[in-house]
C-alpha cells in the first residue's frame, strides 16, 4: 500500500534529484569543453583553415555520453 510506495518513492526521488544531476553534468560539461578548447587551440596554431564540425560533434557525443 501507501507505506510501500513512500519507501520506493524515496529511492526513485534520489535518482531524479536535479541538483545531483546538475553537478554531475557541469563537471562533465566543463571537462569536455576544456578538452575542446585545448584541441582547437593546437589546431588553430597551425595557421591552416579547418572544419570545426568534427570537433564539435565529438565533444557533443562525449558530453552526452558522460565522458
Amino acid at each position: 500500500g501507501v507505506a510501500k510506495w513512500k519507501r520506493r518513492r524515496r529511492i526513485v526521488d534520489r535518482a531524479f534529484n536535479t541538483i545531483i544531476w546538475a553537478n554531475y553534468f557541469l563537471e562533465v560539461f566543463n571537462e569536455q569543453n576544456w578538452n575542446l578548447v585545448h584541441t582547437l587551440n593546437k589546431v588553430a596554431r597551425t595557421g591552416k583553415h579547418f572544419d570545426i564540425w568534427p570537433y564539435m560533434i565529438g565533444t557533443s557525443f562525449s558530453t552526452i555520453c558522460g565522458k
Side-chain angles (χ1 to χ4, degrees), residues 10-67:
R10 278 188 228 126
I11 294 168
V12 172
D13 281 348
R14 288 185 196 132
F16 292 101
N17 185 324
T18 55
I19 294 171
I20 292 171
W21 281 107
N23 288 336
Y24 172 76
F25 183 73
L26 282 175
E27 180 183 324
V28 172
F29 183 78
N30 288 334
E31 179 182 337
Q32 292 304 321
N33 282 296
W34 187 91
N35 291 338
L36 174 65
V37 169
H38 182 72
T39 300
L40 291 179
N41 191 26
K42 283 199 272 185
V43 175
R45 286 183 182 184
T46 66
K48 299 177 184 176
H49 286 55
F50 64 95
D51 184 5
I52 196 169
W53 283 112
Y55 300 99
M56 298 301 293
I57 292 169
T59 298
S60 297
F61 281 128
S62 295
T63 301
I64 292 166
C65 295
K67 296 187 185 192

